[in-house]
Amino acid sequence: MMLQRILAFSLRALLQFRHDRRTLAFILIMPLLMILIFGYTFGGDVKNVTVEVVNQDTGLHEGTSPLLPHGLYLGEMIIKNIDEQTLSLHENTNLTNARQTVYDGHAWAAVIFPANFTQEFLSHVSSQQETGPVKIEIYLDASNPTISAAVIKAVTQSIQATLKEITTDLNRTQVEIPIMIDQTYAYGGSDTRFIDYFAPGVISFAIMMVTTMITIILFVNERRNGTLQRLLVSPASEGEIVVGYALAFAVIGVCQSVVVLVAAILLFNISIVGNILLALIVLLLLAFGHQGLGILLSAGAKNEMQAVQFIPLIIFPSILLAGLFWPIESIPSYLQPLSYIIPLRYGIDAERSIMLRGWGIGEIWVDILVLILFALLTLSASVLLLKRKS
Amino acid sequence: MKVTCLSCGMLGKVTFEQTFDTSTKIVEIHHLTKTFGKFTAVDNLDLTINKGEIYGLLGPNGSGKTTIIKMLSGLLTPTAGSVKIFGNILPCKSVMKTIGYMPQETAIYLDNTVHENLSFFGGIYDMSKEHLEKREQEMLQFVDLSKWRDALVLTLSGGMKHRVSLACALIHEPTLMFLDEPTVGVDPELRATFWGYFENMAQKGITVIITTHYMDEASHCTRVGLLRLGKLIADGRPQELKESTGATSLEDVFLALAGGKIS
């Protein structure tokens, strides 16, 4: 291995991209575009869901109870605590009309507080009778599960917040509250958004896609244009060719990662908990492995047209089986074993662990080991492939 | 019998006694055969090419010219027989430094400039920066492209691309050049220019092995081998071949030797 020859390969490839601005744009902008499109379409949390609110709760009037001298209007408090960004509330006094609005598709849900809501709650609390839980009715248009989930989540959160307020009020009166949900988070928090979960996957996917595609096209061209023959007649070894290109892809990979990471941080406020350098190393391993795969696949394509045909073959398994959008646990169990043979799975898993959980090598060594093996396997196979003579 | 190449240590397969002589024999081909399945592309070829020759491998399409060149440059492994270059049996990486190869295809990087192509090919031949710069200027002058140094190859005309390709094959000062149909698809004017280059190269002591199916071009060669169906049917100076068969052109020589059939 001669460094000068290796660098000659890397430099030539990089200079080629400098002249071919379109390809350069593809390399840098495609990952950016992916995170933008996916981030804004998938990543945005549900907002401004129109919801009818019917508050029939008469409450507990001022001065009625010595425990609560100022009275208690529980329904009103819960409504006030509902996140206004998620739900756009429309107060309605007519129950039938509210239901009809949902039925007609003008609202996603109607939240209904019964007339004796506060009283029932209080009697349940004070007497601790088994009167059954106090009920709020949510009349839902559940045709969109994401929205229904968002409505229920918003109301539940509001109930919890309200209960907390009352607990402090009632604590002075030594009354115990029967329902008290306290949420704690191992990783992330109540503010973890889908985009946080999604970004590490998009970055890995973008690196994988660009590296594979560019390598296939580059090597199909090397074969077709006869330049590869020239290289094989030169003193340069097949290993030097592969390592030279790998270095060029390392440079490209770093540029891509930086662009995507900066975009993710600036546009989507993604907080990266773990070591960025480790995240970058994992991405490079992913790039090396897919460069090898690209060289191998290029041997199976006679021209660019045939090369392009490999792309869906690579994209779809990666999107569907590697846990990019959905956790691997959510794909049918008979398909889950397939995900183990998709290298992207390990890249995504490692990137998520680093960025979201702040894990280090100690926790993700299996992912890293698999990626190193994948890279060694495909790169050495591609050296052998280039050496093969008829 | 397996013999290790003395100069680079690579393992080569030989079927004859290995001898290292100091004569001017540059390429020695012994019983060279290549078959693809049932098809015999090159059939038991014996040939020796000496220093400073312009040797023309002449024959119609499919006569085995390119297969021979690919075996001589180490791109194809012979089915039988062997090739010795500068006394070293192929495969031999150290011999590669002294070989220049210009494939049939233009074989340069279209998305790089002329300069980038030249310095890349110089780079993989371990040339020092100063040497490479000097050599690049010489080559650009040689193929008359000094003005186009920084032009993207993609934007050049077909003839210019061919000239860049030749310059890339010569950048590392090879002493043996393989040119695979360098004049196919080249206009008559540039063909004349190219033959001027080749004769110029031979004068500088470079041994040139060239394939062509243009019989008229072969008169520029110091020696020609006529190929038909993978077999060498004649080998000699163009003039000798004409005299021995009483033909007026090499085309007629070929037809006379091939019994009136070209293929």
Side-chain angles (χ1 to χ4, degrees), chain B residues 243-257:
Chain B
E243 281 164 11
S244 68
T245 52
T248 49
S249 72
L250 280 168
E251 200 150 8
D252 293 337
V253 173
F254 187 89
L255 289 173
L257 292 168

Side-chain angles (χ1 to χ4, degrees), chain B:
Chain B
M1 178 183 153
K2 288 221 165 186
V3 170
T4 308
C5 169
L6 292 183
S7 51
C8 71
M10 271 178 87
L11 208 59
K13 219 165 118 189
V14 280
T15 50
F16 63 98
E17 276 306 309
Q18 195 178 21
T19 50
F20 290 92
D21 57 11
T22 50
S23 75
T24 54
K25 288 175 184 170
I26 303 292
V27 178
E28 294 162 82
I29 301 167
H30 292 269
H31 307 305
L32 192 68
T33 300
K34 181 72 188 177
T35 55
F36 297 102
K38 280 185 183 164
F39 174 69
T40 305
V42 177
D43 194 357
N44 201 17
L45 182 77
D46 280 290
L47 189 63
T48 301
I49 295 161
N50 299 310
K51 192 173 185 328
E53 279 195 285
I54 302 182
Y55 192 91
L57 281 167
L58 209 64
N61 292 325
S63 57
K65 304 182 298 286
T66 297
T67 310
I68 293 171
I69 287 274
K70 284 192 170 169
M71 284 193 284
L72 296 186
S73 54
L75 280 171
L76 280 179
T77 315
T79 312
S82 71
V83 176
K84 265 209 266 183
I85 288 176
F86 302 113
N88 297 305
I89 288 152
L90 295 187
C92 175
K93 268 283 176 193
S94 71
V95 160
M96 295 305 184
K97 285 194 179 188
T98 56
I99 294 179
Y101 172 58
M102 183 172 161
Q104 263 177 34
E105 303 88 349
T106 313
I108 43 177
Y109 294 97
L110 301 181
D111 291 313
N112 287 107
T113 63
V114 175
H115 158 70
E116 285 163 4
N117 268 284
L118 286 168
S119 53
F120 166 69
F121 283 109
I124 61 171
Y125 280 91
D126 313 329
M127 293 171 74
S128 72
K129 211 181 162 198
E130 300 75 38
H131 186 200
L132 183 58
E133 271 170 23
K134 180 173 157 274
R135 188 68 190 155
E136 188 190 335
Q137 279 187 3
E138 286 171 17
M139 280 301 98
L140 286 173
Q141 271 170 18
F142 182 65
V143 295
D144 198 19
L145 282 173
S146 297
K147 268 194 280 180
W148 302 89
R149 179 182 180 274
D150 292 311
L152 212 54
V153 172
L154 201 66
T155 63
L156 300 181
S157 72
M160 284 163 137
K161 283 179 194 152
H162 267 83
R163 273 142 65 193
V164 177
S165 175
L166 180 65
C168 286
L170 285 168
I171 186 84
H172 60 287
E173 294 185 89
T175 46
L176 173 61
M177 270 297 283
F178 295 119
L179 302 158
D180 195 5
E181 309 215 345
T183 52
V184 168
V186 170
D187 68 67
E189 201 179 334
L190 185 63
R191 267 166 70 185
T193 316
F194 261 39
W195 278 101
Y197 294 155
F198 302 154
E199 281 165 359
N200 199 335
M201 280 151 55
Q203 276 165 20
K204 288 175 183 156
I206 301 175
T207 308
V208 179
I209 299 177
I210 192 164
T211 69
T212 179
H213 61 249
Y214 296 120
M215 301 285 175
D216 57 313
E217 285 188 343
S219 52
H220 295 279
C221 298
T222 53
R223 197 150 64 102
V224 292
L226 292 185
L227 285 164
R228 181 170 174 265
L229 301 174
K231 276 192 161 82
L232 194 66
I233 54 172
D235 173 31
R237 293 167 173 281
Q239 197 55 36
E240 285 170 8
L241 290 179
K242 282 185 217 165
E243 281 164 11
S244 68
T245 52
T248 49
S249 72
L250 280 168
E251 200 150 8
D252 293 337
V253 173
F254 187 89
L255 289 173
L257 292 168
K261 278 187 246 163
I262 283 266
S263 63

Side-chain angles (χ1 to χ4, degrees), chain A residues 4-5 12 19 222 229-230, chain B residues 107 109 116 126-127 165:
Chain A
Q4 189 195 348
R5 287 185 212 143
R12 206 261 337 138
H19 295 298
E222 286 269 17
Q229 292 185 13
R230 231 182 205 156
Chain B
Y109 294 97
E116 285 163 4
D126 313 329
M127 293 171 74
S165 175

